[in-house]
């Protein structure tokens, strides 16, 4: 999951070296925190959050195959 999120985020931003993904386990939920450069925050979120929603949708679809519950936070 971490590689999937990082791959998508690096394709969107102008500073791909600043992209990091950390995993936090909370009970039965895996929370992935996506960190990007402050200048790239808008590119990852998109207009009205459309890109962020699409990113979360792709990750949740991949999580169904792995049979885990996931959440993605953009920090």
């Amino acid at each position: 999951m971490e590689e999937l999120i990082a791959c998508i985020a690096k394709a969107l931003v102008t500073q791909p070296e600043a992209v990091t993904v950390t995993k936090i386990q909370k009970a039965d939920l895996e929370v992935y925190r996506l960190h990007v450069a402050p200048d790239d925050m808008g590119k990852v979120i998109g207009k009205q959050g459309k890109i962020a929603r699409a990113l979360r949708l792709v990750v949740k679809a991949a999580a169904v195959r792995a049979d885990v519950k996931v959440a993605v936070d953009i920090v």
Side-chain angles (χ1 to χ4, degrees), residues 44-61:
V44 174
I45 295 173
K47 291 185 179 180
Q48 297 179 351
K50 288 183 181 180
I51 295 175
R53 272 186 264 137
L55 174 67
R56 290 180 177 116
L57 183 67
V58 169
V59 171
K60 286 185 182 186

Side-chain angles (χ1 to χ4, degrees), residues 4-69:
L4 174 65
I5 297 168
C7 181
I8 293 170
K10 286 180 181 180
L12 295 171
V13 299
T14 57
Q15 298 176 6
E17 65 279 352
V19 173
T20 59
V21 180
T22 56
K23 176 182 170 184
I24 300 170
Q25 187 70 37
K26 293 185 178 179
D28 62 340
L29 179 69
E30 293 179 3
V31 178
Y32 293 95
R33 290 209 170 145
L34 173 61
H35 299 271
V36 296
D39 295 339
D40 291 329
M41 187 66 74
K43 294 177 183 174
V44 174
I45 295 173
K47 291 185 179 180
Q48 297 179 351
K50 288 183 181 180
I51 295 175
R53 272 186 264 137
L55 174 67
R56 290 180 177 116
L57 183 67
V58 169
V59 171
K60 286 185 182 186
V64 169
R65 292 189 84 179
D67 195 33
V68 293
K69 293 182 181 179

